[in-house]
Amino acid sequence: MKKLFLILILLTPLTDTFSQQDVFLTARDSIKLKKFGIDLFQDEITINKFQLENILFHDRRYKVNKAFNIFFKVLAAPYVILGVASFASMGRTPTGWRGLNVLAGVVGLGLGGAGYGISRPFRRGSLKNKFFRDRIVQRILNESN
């Protein structure tokens, strides 16, 4: 019985569905690659497993970095608006409360600037990953033509 389980465990990786070039791809991955212009079932196209994994890896990293970039920008926007509104309303505020207005403006602009500053590395990372992904796709398409 133990030998049977051992044989089944050893044969499990060999039962995966492989495409034309011996690469395991889900239907979702095939659709993503087709969106980039790579059709795996063309006869003249030759792609190795490393290139496909790199395309999908950089695409996933691009999307994650872009989501964090948007998240931190959206988080920073209300604070910047609060800071600007606080500074704009200083003329209408009674003299005793102007210090609180300045404090709210400085804190709002500071937190908004910090949130925006946090979003910048994510934007840079998303652009870098998009560039790498597009460069690999372009290289594959140029080799196939």
Side-chain angles (χ1 to χ4, degrees):
M1 190 68 162
K2 288 182 182 179
K3 289 181 183 180
L4 180 64
F5 283 125
L6 183 64
I7 291 172
L8 287 175
I9 289 173
L10 291 175
L11 292 178
T12 302
L14 300 176
T15 60
D16 288 338
T17 307
F18 288 91
S19 73
Q20 169 183 334
Q21 280 114 14
D22 296 335
V23 177
F24 177 72
L25 289 175
T26 62
R28 194 173 187 185
D29 292 339
S30 298
I31 292 171
K32 284 181 188 178
L33 290 171
K34 196 157 191 134
K35 183 181 83 170
F36 298 133
I38 299 173
D39 188 11
L40 296 176
F41 299 106
Q42 291 176 347
D43 291 335
E44 66 270 0
I45 195 165
T46 57
I47 306 170
N48 62 16
K49 182 179 179 182
F50 180 71
Q51 287 175 326
L52 291 178
E53 288 174 352
N54 264 343
I55 291 170
L56 297 174
F57 172 76
H58 286 299
D59 185 51
R60 186 172 47 251
R61 298 255 331 243
Y62 161 70
K63 289 178 182 178
V64 168
N65 282 332
K66 187 176 178 182
F68 277 111
N69 177 31
I70 291 170
F71 173 75
F72 282 113
K73 279 185 182 178
V74 168
L75 194 65
Y79 289 110
V80 171
I81 292 170
L82 172 72
V84 170
S86 179
F87 281 131
S89 67
M90 265 186 13
R92 299 182 196 148
T93 310
T95 310
W97 293 96
R98 285 192 181 158
L100 186 61
N101 239 8
V102 170
L103 179 67
V106 168
V107 167
L109 287 178
L111 289 175
Y116 185 75
I118 291 171
S119 76
R120 299 311 293 168
F122 290 111
R123 175 166 167 73
R124 184 171 175 232
S126 71
L127 291 176
K128 183 177 75 170
N129 284 311
K130 182 180 179 186
F131 173 75
F132 286 147
R133 179 199 69 193
D134 292 342
R135 191 173 74 178
I136 295 168
V137 168
Q138 191 64 33
R139 188 180 313 145
I140 290 170
L141 292 177
N142 286 341
E143 289 173 1
S144 68
N145 290 333

